[in-house]
Amino acid sequence: MKRIKIFDTTLRDGEQSPGCSMNLPEKIEMAKQLERLGVDIIEAGFAIASPMDHKSVKAIAGAVSKCTVASLARCTKGDIDAAWDAVKEAKHPRIHVFLATSDIHMEYKLKMTREQVLQRITDMVGYAKSLCDDIEFSAEDASRSEPAFLAQCFSNAVAAGAKTLNVPDTVGYSTPQEMGALITYLREHVEGIENVDISTHCHNDLGMAVANSLACVQAGATQLECTVNGIGERAGNASLEEIVMNLRTRRTFYNADTGINTKQIYRSSKLLSSITGVAIAPSKAIVGANAFAHESGIHQHGVLANPLTYEIMNSAEVGIPQNTMVLGKHSGKHALREKLESMGYELTDEELEVVFQRFKSMADKKKNITGSDLESLVLHRRNTSMSTQSGACRLIGHLINTSTSSSLPTTSYVKLERDGLFLEDVAVGSGPVDASFTAINRMLGINIRLESFSLNAVTDDKDAIGEAIVKVKAPNGETYTGTGLSTDIIESSIRAYVNGINKMLEDAGQTEPKE
């Protein structure tokens, strides 16, 4: 059975998609989860893009040890030097260089001839090879490139030392038949291809990214590039969870499998959603809320008789929690740790203490605490720990005064704590959320603009936890995502707003851990 390498680009291509930016601690947390998930390669970023990108790639290279850590680089010495400097301390470093090979890109973007492109590939792959043993070369817009020229580009890359050749469908234009045929053609016409991995990087503009990737596996590809939840530029990338579970569920059809720990799939998906504030669609394959739900009486009857009647996968196989053990306000820290470990979460004593304090507070408000409740607390634990940093804000309390009459205003009193000082203000707004945010802006003296706001029910029933997600724009134009949890949706909204502000302050260097 063929072993397919999983190249995860959530932290590079995925993070480039609008609304999915992450700060450094969030990137490191996601990278560690990807390591637990068992991906083979983590593309940590584009080191030359900015000093922060370089810093994050370097930090991830030092934070993980089981995965190869790659940085993207254009075919220029400056890019390659920056990429190598960022990944050189990784246990398994890789430089991923790329150059466009389609006529439209060469003429209008690169303004280079075919001969110049071939020479640039030889020179720059060779230069990268002089620094790092593991080199991947990508021919940008490969699916729209002339096949014979593309084969020559890849032949030059292999001769210069590339160990992986990536065939991207950069604009999501191709079909499974075309991608499969292209891989077959390249296997027959690229000199030395039998000694390297063939990779593919498919975009989802026409909804074909996963199908195209799987067609490449059938044609001989040995590495697939993808992202958690399929996030990425424009319509996104091939979805990691869909690729992996296709190969696992239809193992005998594809005669291929991955090294992914599938029980970490759901956890990885939820963590990314929590970090970016981008909700998972209920109908999303594998990880959506409806993926293993049955409402139709016919379906329910069949599943009760034999799950295989309507379920081709077991929910536990992808790590979807089974909420059978109930915890309440009388439960202790030991029981909480055991439950979290049974769900696959390993927390340090400090992290457990943060979750335990929120758990006790929640237990005073909810009769039963389910696995989904606990999961939400774990995923939001950093929001709580951020509030203990010097310079960060912590919500103490709030009081809302509303009226059913449109002629009477809504007022909100909000009290925060910052570095031992208590701040409070009362503001009037068009509603409780607007009034609360206005009060916070005024007491902190910061001109912050709310870009988007949404509420989701994390759990069921009348005492469900509400998760608020906000995107706020700082005075410098940077956008930050804040999330907050509470059974009180106004409180969760305020917590999300404060969390976004704390991220802004941290990014500006105005917060730091207390001694």
Side-chain angles (χ1 to χ4, degrees), residues 278-290:
V278 177
I280 304 167
S283 58
K284 172 74 170 68
I286 316 299
V287 294
N290 295 344

Side-chain angles (χ1 to χ4, degrees), residues 198-489:
I198 305 173
S199 180
T200 187
H201 178 115
C202 296
H203 277 263
N204 205 41
D205 297 71
L206 292 175
M208 303 291 280
V210 171
N212 286 343
S213 300
L214 294 171
C216 291
V217 169
Q218 291 179 287
T222 52
Q223 174 180 293
L224 298 181
E225 306 196 359
C226 47
T227 62
V228 175
N229 294 344
I231 67 169
E233 294 183 281
R234 303 184 312 280
N237 288 272
S239 164
L240 180 149
E241 55 276 6
E242 293 175 27
I243 283 176
V244 169
M245 292 312 295
N246 264 279
L247 293 176
R248 185 178 181 87
T249 305
R250 302 301 308 276
R251 190 185 288 110
T252 56
F253 178 80
Y254 292 104
N255 192 34
D257 205 354
T258 69
I260 293 294
N261 176 2
T262 61
K263 291 185 177 180
Q264 291 289 335
I265 285 178
Y266 182 71
R267 218 153 290 134
S268 303
S269 172
K270 291 290 287 184
L271 175 62
L272 180 64
S273 178
S274 171
I275 288 174
T276 62
V278 177
I280 304 167
S283 58
K284 172 74 170 68
I286 316 299
V287 294
N290 295 344
F292 294 95
H294 305 278
E295 185 172 338
S296 162
I298 295 173
H299 285 218
Q300 289 173 344
H301 176 75
V303 169
L304 288 172
N306 185 334
L308 293 177
T309 54
Y310 288 101
E311 289 187 357
I312 59 173
M313 296 170 284
N314 187 325
S315 63
E317 196 174 18
V318 298
I320 292 182
Q322 304 301 302
N323 305 325
T324 53
M325 178 179 173
V326 177
L327 297 175
K329 63 181 181 180
H330 300 297
S331 302
K333 199 178 296 183
H334 179 73
L336 177 62
R337 184 188 288 277
E338 277 198 352
K339 175 60 177 176
L340 291 175
E341 288 179 351
S342 74
M343 293 169 63
Y345 292 106
E346 296 180 8
L347 273 60
T348 64
D349 290 343
E350 291 78 11
E351 289 174 328
L352 180 65
E353 181 63 33
V354 171
V355 174
F356 183 68
Q357 293 304 321
R358 290 296 307 277
F359 161 73
K360 296 296 279 187
S361 175
M362 182 184 293
D364 285 333
K365 302 173 183 178
K366 283 177 64 73
K367 186 175 181 180
N368 294 322
I369 306 293
T370 66
S372 293
D373 292 324
L374 295 178
E375 182 180 65
S376 66
L377 292 181
V378 172
L379 293 175
H380 287 76
R381 67 185 182 277
R382 187 173 178 273
N383 293 359
T384 304
S385 62
M386 278 189 73
S387 64
T388 66
Q389 295 178 332
S390 177
C393 302
R394 182 170 65 92
L395 176 64
I396 301 299
H398 70 285
L399 180 64
I400 306 295
N401 184 15
T402 62
S403 172
T404 56
S405 172
S406 59
S407 62
L408 295 176
T410 295
T411 61
S412 174
Y413 161 79
V414 180
K415 186 173 185 178
L416 303 178
E417 183 267 334
R418 189 180 185 192
D419 285 341
L421 298 176
F422 291 102
L423 309 173
E424 56 187 353
D425 207 335
V426 179
V428 174
S430 58
V433 173
D434 178 52
S436 300
F437 292 178
T438 300
I440 293 171
N441 282 4
R442 198 157 62 192
M443 74 175 78
L444 294 177
I446 304 175
N447 182 25
I448 303 167
R449 193 172 75 194
L450 181 67
E451 294 286 290
S452 66
F453 170 79
S454 64
L455 279 169
N456 304 296
V458 175
T459 53
D460 300 321
D461 218 336
K462 62 183 180 181
D463 60 354
I465 294 177
E467 177 188 48
I469 302 169
V470 303
K471 291 187 184 297
V472 295
K473 179 170 282 190
N476 64 2
E478 291 292 323
T479 302
Y480 299 88
T481 300
T483 57
L485 289 177
S486 177
T487 52
D488 177 343
I489 60 173

